[in-house]
Amino acid sequence: MRDLLARCRKLLGPNHETPRNAEIMDLLEELCDQLGMHFALEEAFGYFEDAIYEAPQLSSAAESLRQEHAVLFCVFCGVTEIAERLRYRHASVRQRQELAEAFHCFDAAFCDHESREAALIVQAIQDEIGVGD
Ligand SMILES: [Fe+2]
């Protein structure tokens, strides 16, 4: 998924020459599948740290992170809807900007989410091994 995100950032970045709409759409569809799988796996298997579920403050943070998945997925679906509208026609500069802005908005929210998940896992590990005690 990191590779797909990196390719999307590049294709929708400010310095990239105009890519074909179908190319962006194919990439976003692939990313959509991977994103759904990524969230489903996290929700099915949790964050792999029992300490998170044993500590009330961590388990509530984990639950609120889990609830963000549906929101992030909806935001990403909004990106693919914009791309779908442009798939078979010439996109104006404004339309391409709208797509890029929507993608970067999702990307920023997703990266923030991932970084808070990573911090939660680190916190759980530190609590478990007693770092800072
Ligand atoms: Fe997550």
Side-chain angles (χ1 to χ4, degrees):
M1 195 168 75
R2 279 185 193 179
D3 177 55
L4 284 171
L5 274 169
R7 286 164 62 197
C8 283
R9 286 178 193 131
K10 193 172 174 190
L11 271 181
L12 293 167
N15 299 322
H16 197 277
E17 291 173 20
T18 305
R20 291 180 304 111
N21 294 341
E23 183 182 3
I24 294 174
M25 194 63 227
D26 290 347
L27 201 52
L28 290 173
E29 279 176 354
E30 207 179 332
L31 184 54
C32 190
D33 290 344
Q34 296 267 323
L35 193 63
M37 181 66 75
H38 175 82
F39 289 151
L41 286 172
E42 280 183 348
E43 290 177 19
F45 297 106
Y47 296 112
F48 307 105
E49 291 299 331
D50 290 342
I52 288 175
Y53 303 102
E54 288 161 10
Q57 75 281 9
L58 297 183
S59 69
S60 102
E63 177 56 23
S64 91
L65 282 164
R66 193 190 69 74
Q67 289 178 3
E68 287 179 19
H69 291 166
V71 177
L72 285 166
F73 198 74
C74 280
V75 172
F76 188 78
C77 288
V79 178
T80 61
E81 281 165 19
I82 294 170
E84 184 64 49
R85 290 201 304 268
L86 305 179
R87 187 197 273 267
Y88 298 113
R89 60 177 130 123
H90 177 74
S92 68
V93 171
R94 178 71 205 103
Q95 288 169 322
R96 191 164 297 285
Q97 273 175 347
E98 181 192 6
L99 175 61
E101 281 166 19
F103 172 75
H104 292 299
C105 185
F106 159 79
D107 192 29
F110 180 70
C111 289
D112 177 61
H113 169 87
E114 290 290 288
S115 116
R116 283 181 289 118
E117 275 179 347
L120 179 72
I121 292 167
V122 167
Q123 182 67 54
I125 292 168
Q126 287 177 340
D127 288 356
E128 199 164 55
I129 62 176
V131 173
D133 287 350

